[in-house]
Amino acid sequence: MESSCPTPLGASDRVLLAHGEGALWSRRLIREVFVRAFGGSEHDPLLDGAVLPPCDRPIVATTDSYVISPLFFPGGDIGSLAVHGTLNDLAVMGADPIGLTSAWILEEGLPLETLRRVVDSMAAAARAAGVRIVAGDTKVVPRGAADGLFINTTGLGRLRPDARLGPERIAPGDRVVVSGTLGDHGIAVLSARSGITFETEILSDSCNLHPLISDLLDSGLEIRFLRDATRGGLAAVLHEITETGSYSIEIEESRLPVSSQVRGACELLGLDPVHIANEGKFVAVVAEADAEAVVNRLRASAFGRDAAIVGSVIATGPARVSVRGRFHVVRELDEPTGAPMPRIC
Amino acid sequence: MESSCPTPLGASDRVLLAHGEGALWSRRLIREVFVRAFGGSEHDPLLDGAVLPPCDRPIVATTDSYVISPLFFPGGDIGSLAVHGTLNDLAVMGADPIGLTSAWILEEGLPLETLRRVVDSMAAAARAAGVRIVAGDTKVVPRGAADGLFINTTGLGRLRPDARLGPERIAPGDRVVVSGTLGDHGIAVLSARSGITFETEILSDSCNLHPLISDLLDSGLEIRFLRDATRGGLAAVLHEITETGSYSIEIEESRLPVSSQVRGACELLGLDPVHIANEGKFVAVVAEADAEAVVNRLRASAFGRDAAIVGSVIATGPARVSVRGRFHVVRELDEPTGAPMPRIC
């Protein structure tokens, strides 16, 4: 009987299994934490689906789960990261966002205060990007069956008419551009997780790249391929590109933008910035003739101020992906096959 | 160097943290397990997003995470359940499916054989429903940070022109119909989890309700509202409906379709079938004049053969949701506020 049942969010300051039962307490959690933050009315029907307008252009769909540890790190948290990561996946496919869904797996015992902070951060990131969280889901698993909380965000977008992007458009002679410094997110998370501190705090670069990419696509410059350099870093993106084509990529080590703090941290930890995850950087393969103009355009924005041409697509190389180091020695750029950095996103 | 690196799926029969790194081993896992099962080419670019055709009708989006334990249960598994559950969410909103995304959180050490079984089951369920898994994501968390595997599926659908469904369309006099027996899924999962066996094995009712609902909407009968009765069972659906309206709902206990095995199990376990989760049953609120025709139409299908009118919408009642029991005693139908059945979906 509703009148005799304590308000669960008042009676407990932690997530309970009952919050996942799909009944009264679930609805209260959804209303009091999610609907409130995401701007719906508290009296909206709590549909787990949303109805969005028709779309006159191809629809882009992308999905990502976020399992990062710790939940809060210098420069961001799992809530804002989930919004940025999914918006960036849409943006590099050439899409403007239509809406996001968010699905939450919560561990029994998670402090409600932690949940609220993450939900509020997700809501703020979505508001800043001008995109709505249109549908959601909440599950609760018993203590020990998950670690704190995991989030899935799925993004829907409208393909831009001017986006003609794909690995099949890449050809020898094209230039490889990165939109800024490499490795900031991965090192920030490792630092937060391990308790290693550096002289200057290293912040995650987690941000919404849609405005920067939108401006680039508006420019009419010849952009062949875009990809955000997340898990696996720049190296994984370059390997993925070359696996689908019949060309090689050579990058120049001296041209890679890396902050001095990240460079120092990588030396200390025995890591290479090309393997480290970013959450606010993308790789663009662009026509040779437009490469300088692309970099100049990116540098005009705060989120692209360290953009650089870092390499070229070549017809054949000593390896599919190689690095020209100092003293012009060319070596293969391999990918890590161990697991140096779990739970980075 | 690729040539010197062992095939991860050959070298290990378990999920490794390296499978979640976003680099070489991640791509191999995606190719050898997911792309193979979901019918893509092994040489497709492994985009984490998909491009779908434009949609001339409103787009329906729904998201759900699946955390069910155990992963395999009588009548289904987490893979087929994830497809059915999400298709059913689209169907009750009046949408035909366009595509599904699937995002996987895997625990380090999960046997690859288990993963393959679940992925293959998901692929088979999608094929049977004629819907594609259009994009995916895989994360791996260290041993102990998740329990086996969790799946998120997000569904995209096209709103049918004939679907005019919503709690605001419900009015006193309408009838409440359920599409079949209640409680099968929940009891099947509880039985698998606890090791309690019954004389006759109780199977989950997990199935794709889209064909049944599509036929019902084709019929032109006056359907006001549809909802699948999953977590929280029939009771949660009725409470959710009445929370948004200014009417009550009274159901008649003697009309509730419950199999004798589920009834027996519920008596044994002290549970009420109205609170138990289903994964292949929906609740329809329909115009009084069409209620018999709706039930007859449902009964013509194998998935609706036990459909029944179970109650009515009334202007005011002793409680928002009440049950008329045997001997005509009317009592309030409350919702469980504890957590009798965690991880049921």
Side-chain angles (χ1 to χ4, degrees), chain A residues 27 47 52 59 227 335, chain B residues 27 47 52 59 227 335:
Chain A
R27 293 199 300 280
L47 299 176
L52 304 169
I59 301 164
R227 177 61 57 93
E335 290 189 280
Chain B
R27 292 200 299 280
L47 299 176
L52 304 169
I59 301 164
R227 176 62 55 93
E335 289 189 282

Side-chain angles (χ1 to χ4, degrees), chain A residues 20-21 27 31 47 49-50 52 55 58-59 61 64-65 103 137-139 145 147 150 154 227 231 243 335 341, chain B residues 20-21 27 31 47 49-50 52 55 58-59 61 64-65 103 137-139 145 147 152 154 227 231 243 335 341:
Chain A
E21 283 292 292
R27 293 199 300 280
R31 287 218 170 88
L47 299 176
L52 304 169
C55 184
I59 301 164
D64 261 296
S65 293
D137 176 57
T138 310
K139 295 290 189 306
D147 183 17
F150 302 143
T154 298
R227 177 61 57 93
R231 281 189 290 179
E243 273 188 12
E335 290 189 280
M341 279 178 300
Chain B
E21 282 292 290
R27 292 200 299 280
R31 286 219 172 86
L47 299 176
L52 304 169
C55 185
I59 301 164
D64 261 298
S65 293
D137 177 57
T138 310
K139 295 290 189 305
D147 183 16
N152 175 278
T154 299
R227 176 62 55 93
R231 279 187 293 179
E243 274 190 10
E335 289 189 282
M341 280 178 297

Side-chain angles (χ1 to χ4, degrees), chain A residues 248-252 310-314 318 320 322-324 330:
Chain A
S248 299
I249 287 178
E250 186 178 293
I251 60 172
E252 288 190 51
V310 300
S312 304
V313 179
I314 52 180
R320 286 195 318 218
S322 54
V323 189
R324 182 175 296 272
V330 178

Side-chain angles (χ1 to χ4, degrees), chain B residues 132-187:
Chain B
R132 281 187 56 222
I133 312 287
V134 297
D137 177 57
T138 310
K139 295 290 189 305
V140 181
V141 297
R143 210 180 285 268
D147 183 16
L149 70 86
F150 301 143
I151 303 175
N152 175 278
T153 44
T154 299
L156 295 181
R158 176 180 178 276
L159 192 68
R160 298 168 54 107
D162 54 4
R164 295 177 307 123
L165 302 166
E168 73 287 351
R169 297 195 61 240
I170 298 173
D174 288 350
R175 291 292 183 263
V176 178
V177 169
V178 298
S179 68
T181 55
L182 300 176
D184 303 76
H185 175 74
I187 297 298

Side-chain angles (χ1 to χ4, degrees), chain B residues 157-319:
Chain B
R158 176 180 178 276
L159 192 68
R160 298 168 54 107
D162 54 4
R164 295 177 307 123
L165 302 166
E168 73 287 351
R169 297 195 61 240
I170 298 173
D174 288 350
R175 291 292 183 263
V176 178
V177 169
V178 298
S179 68
T181 55
L182 300 176
D184 303 76
H185 175 74
I187 297 298
V189 174
L190 275 191
S191 145
R193 192 188 298 166
S194 63
I196 299 171
T197 53
F198 305 103
E199 212 165 306
T200 317
E201 189 179 41
I202 296 171
L203 300 181
S204 166
D205 58 340
S206 172
C207 73
N208 170 19
L209 290 167
H210 176 256
L212 188 62
I213 289 173
S214 179
D215 175 73
L216 195 60
L217 294 174
D218 281 343
S219 71
L221 295 166
E222 190 61 33
I223 315 295
R224 304 270 162 80
F225 178 85
L226 295 171
R227 176 62 55 93
D228 48 339
T230 56
R231 279 187 293 179
L234 174 64
V237 173
L238 300 181
H239 275 274
E240 201 168 329
I241 294 172
T242 55
E243 274 190 10
T244 66
S246 54
Y247 43 74
S248 299
I249 287 179
E250 185 177 293
I251 61 173
E252 286 191 51
E253 196 160 31
S254 63
R255 289 172 172 264
L256 295 173
V258 181
S259 76
S260 57
Q261 298 100 302
V262 168
R263 190 174 298 284
C266 281
E267 278 168 13
L268 193 71
L269 299 166
L271 297 169
D272 187 330
V274 298
H275 293 138
I276 314 278
N278 312 278
E279 289 290 348
K281 301 294 158 47
F282 63 87
V283 180
V285 182
V286 305
E288 179 177 10
D290 286 348
E292 286 292 344
V294 164
V295 166
N296 290 337
R297 188 141 186 149
L298 291 174
R299 286 185 177 166
S301 153
F303 292 125
R305 66 173 176 271
D306 298 311
I309 301 172
V310 300
S312 305
V313 178
I314 51 181
T316 52

